[in-house]
Amino acid sequence: MLNLKSSQVALTSLPPLALYIHFPWCEKKCPYCDFNSHQIREGVGKNGFDEKRYINALIADLETELPNIWGRQVHTIFIGGGTPSLISPAGMDDLLSAIRARLNLDPAAEITMEANPGSIEAEKFAAYAKCGINRVSIGVQSFQDEQLKALGRIHTSTEAKRAIEIALQHFPAVNLDLMYGLPNQTLAAAKNDIDTALSFQTPHLSLYNLTLEPNTYFANFPPKLPSEDEIDLMFEQNLALLTKAGYQRYEVSAYAKKDQECKHNLNYWRFGDYIGIGAGAHGKISLPNKITRQVRERHPETYMSAIENQGHALIESKEVHAQDLPFEFMLNALRLTSGVETSSFSERTGLPLSVLSNALNEACQKGLLDENPKYLKPTALGLRYLNDLQALFLS
């Protein structure tokens, strides 16, 4: 048996590279949200935050990473939050122009921005498209006003529908984020949400089961949620409706029409690299002899001050040890319904496949993993009990 504690990573090639940019402000903090987001304050710039200062910090943050990725091409950019659609079009243009000046950006790069329906305007979206955004992800969550209110969302169903119509006029790729298993939600109400979403024929849908995450308002004051059996029925109903409408479930929570998968997220799940800039952003960078993970300062003010005073905002940059790589790889890869090619394990971790032998055999015996040796692919049962399947690779 290999001694992974003393093994050294040896990559024969580096994986694809992406850029994640975190925008940490929202107009209102949702009670279920455990992301690094902060409610904007009155009197701090015209939008409640100092846009120019934050963008300058992002650019300076990116520059600190250039020596680690020099010469490598960036294939996708994802601007997440928070609510990035609070950024002015001029600010977004400044940011993307600075990125292009510093990175070898693929001319056909997928550039995604998350948006809140309440902050969408036709003129604003036209300007975003002009400065290079070509994919937008809209946080709809539900088309029922009662549910939106229960979720603490600031938009209405009417605003959500209008936002989708505007987005479809300006962007070639549009994703809708939806939730199910909402407070007091019925099977019929869940179907109504899916039917409404399908009526817009967007190329991509993300569908999440509402969970009560630690350190959120809902965790401390839990609403009444449907039972596990009811939630299972909602999922099966949703899957049938989406499949009938021509969407393929390609990841646990992601559905796309043919060739419309989110390239940025696919890079995560295939254990690719990504630069992470912005407050609380995480990054993963591979070098020929090691893989490192990074974490930035979490609070926006602390993040900007660190950049300005120290020249960087890293609070952690550590090498991923060889014994941790098998689990980290499989944690991501097994989220994909089609799995990944078996050869990609060694390509992305620098380790021989033999380190997975025992876990692979056990997963196959339990019916959680497909027995095709060319792919590391979960079965339908494996997807259903994904946590159990992933846990087999912890050791």
Side-chain angles (χ1 to χ4, degrees):
M1 179 176 290
L2 291 171
N3 180 4
L4 285 179
K5 289 186 178 181
S6 61
S7 295
Q8 186 173 1
V9 172
L11 298 179
T12 56
S13 62
L14 299 179
L17 180 64
L19 170 64
Y20 175 76
I21 304 168
H22 191 74
F23 180 81
W25 287 284
C26 283
E27 293 185 62
K28 180 184 176 184
K29 181 77 172 179
C30 295
Y32 59 85
C33 178
D34 68 337
F35 294 151
N36 182 30
S37 61
H38 305 262
Q39 189 163 323
I40 57 177
R41 296 177 292 151
E42 294 295 331
V44 184
K46 65 178 182 178
N47 295 323
F49 54 92
D50 192 332
E51 178 177 284
K52 184 175 182 180
R53 184 184 176 206
Y54 191 69
I55 289 174
N56 286 340
L58 289 173
I59 296 168
D61 194 2
L62 177 61
E63 288 177 344
T64 67
E65 286 303 311
L66 296 182
N68 295 324
I69 53 90
W70 200 254
R72 296 174 65 182
Q73 188 171 61
V74 171
H75 298 279
T76 65
I77 299 174
F78 195 103
I79 308 165
T83 307
S85 51
L86 292 172
I87 301 174
S88 71
M92 187 67 74
D93 190 44
D94 287 344
L95 176 61
L96 291 177
S97 295
I99 289 169
R100 291 187 184 95
R102 289 161 175 80
L103 293 179
N104 176 14
L105 184 63
D106 184 342
E110 174 192 88
I111 305 177
T112 302
M113 180 189 72
E114 291 185 334
N116 186 314
S119 63
I120 291 175
E121 303 163 9
E123 186 176 340
K124 196 175 183 183
F125 262 32
Y128 285 143
K130 188 175 180 180
C131 70
I133 303 294
N134 53 30
R135 185 176 185 274
V136 68
S137 180
I138 304 176
V140 174
Q141 314 315 349
S142 175
F143 289 99
Q144 308 292 316
D145 285 336
E146 183 179 346
Q147 293 292 355
L148 291 171
K149 185 177 180 180
L151 291 172
R153 303 295 290 178
I154 62 171
H155 67 271
T156 64
S157 175
T158 299
E159 288 174 323
K161 294 172 184 175
R162 178 176 173 272
I164 298 167
E165 291 169 352
I166 293 172
L168 287 169
Q169 292 172 12
H170 296 289
F171 302 100
V174 176
N175 170 63
L176 305 183
D177 273 350
L178 292 173
M179 289 183 171
Y180 66 97
L182 305 179
N184 298 306
Q185 188 178 40
T186 64
L187 190 63
K191 181 177 185 299
N192 182 275
D193 273 349
I194 295 297
D195 286 339
T196 304
L198 291 175
S199 71
F200 292 99
Q201 299 183 31
T202 60
H204 195 285
L205 288 168
S206 298
L207 193 59
Y208 304 98
N209 176 20
L210 175 63
T211 55
L212 306 184
E213 301 293 346
N215 303 315
T216 62
Y217 181 86
F218 272 1
N220 295 321
F221 303 95
K224 179 175 172 53
L225 300 180
S227 68
E228 287 189 15
D229 288 343
E230 290 172 319
I231 289 173
D232 284 344
L233 287 173
M234 289 178 191
F235 169 76
E236 295 296 340
Q237 173 184 257
N238 294 341
L239 180 59
L241 290 168
L242 288 163
T243 302
K244 184 178 179 181
Y247 291 82
Q248 179 185 359
R249 186 191 187 201
Y250 71 97
E251 189 268 343
V252 171
S253 304
Y255 302 77
K257 292 185 178 179
K258 183 175 173 58
D259 299 325
Q260 294 296 318
E261 297 88 351
C262 176
K263 296 176 183 177
H264 186 87
N265 286 343
L266 280 174
N267 187 56
Y268 288 149
W269 298 319
R270 291 169 176 165
F271 214 52
D273 279 356
Y274 51 97
I275 309 161
I277 61 172
H282 291 233
K284 170 185 172 283
I285 303 295
S286 299
L287 298 171
N289 63 340
K290 65 179 180 179
I291 297 172
T292 60
R293 287 201 178 275
Q294 305 170 329
V295 184
R296 262 71 176 170
E297 290 280 1
R298 183 175 177 84
H299 193 278
E301 177 58 40
T302 308
Y303 168 80
M304 291 185 287
S305 295
I307 292 286
E308 293 160 353
N309 299 321
Q310 300 169 197
H312 71 87
L314 283 175
I315 58 173
E316 185 176 279
S317 181
K318 66 177 183 179
E319 182 177 345
V320 183
H321 296 300
Q323 68 264 30
D324 298 323
L325 283 171
F327 177 67
E328 287 210 15
F329 178 91
M330 297 301 282
L331 184 70
N332 288 280
L334 293 175
R335 291 183 63 89
L336 293 169
T337 59
S338 60
V340 296
E341 292 185 5
T342 304
S343 59
S344 68
F345 175 77
S346 294
E347 291 171 1
R348 298 292 162 88
T349 66
L351 300 172
L353 184 67
S354 56
V355 303
L356 296 179
S357 295
N358 292 340
L360 291 176
N361 290 335
E362 185 176 356
C364 288
Q365 290 170 6
K366 292 183 174 181
L368 302 176
L369 196 71
D370 194 292
E371 295 187 3
N372 184 342
K374 293 184 179 180
Y375 290 91
L376 300 171
K377 175 184 174 181
T379 60
L381 186 67
L383 283 172
R384 187 178 182 86
Y385 297 101
L386 184 59
N387 289 342
D388 295 329
L389 172 56
Q390 292 166 329
L392 294 176
F393 298 90
L394 267 172
S395 58

